[in-house]
Amino acid sequence: KPAKVLGAKRFRKGEYTNEVVQLFLAPMKEGGVYYAVVLKDDGDDKFDYTKDTPLRDEKGNLIMTTFKATTSN
């Protein structure tokens, strides 16, 4: 379970590259490491990380990545 959800974006079925998800729901700490996880909707067409399930690749690994917060000048 995530500690806090910082943002979300709906992606309909298909392939996507270089998509941006706005992170605005909680402040981020410079240098902090954060996780992005792809969830599958439970069928109600609403984002709910307690009900929507993480997607896995063909080997059973979570589809996710990490990133580090930095300041922009």
Side-chain angles (χ1 to χ4, degrees):
K1 285 186 174 182
K4 291 183 181 178
V5 175
L6 301 179
K9 182 174 181 177
R10 177 176 311 281
F11 293 94
R12 299 290 180 190
K13 189 175 184 177
E15 293 185 24
Y16 297 87
T17 56
N18 300 318
E19 290 292 322
V20 174
V21 177
Q22 296 295 322
L23 304 178
F24 55 85
L25 300 177
M28 295 173 63
K29 180 180 175 184
E30 182 178 358
V33 176
Y34 298 88
Y35 299 83
V37 180
V38 179
L39 300 177
K40 181 180 185 209
D41 185 70
D42 69 348
D44 66 1
D45 209 31
K46 297 177 185 173
F47 174 72
D48 184 342
Y49 75 89
T50 65
K51 295 179 182 178
D52 299 336
T53 56
L55 285 179
R56 297 182 178 273
D57 65 17
E58 62 279 347
K59 294 181 180 178
N61 300 309
L62 287 178
I63 298 176
M64 62 172 283
T65 192
T66 61
F67 62 96
K68 185 182 267 190
T70 59
T71 59
S72 60
N73 296 331

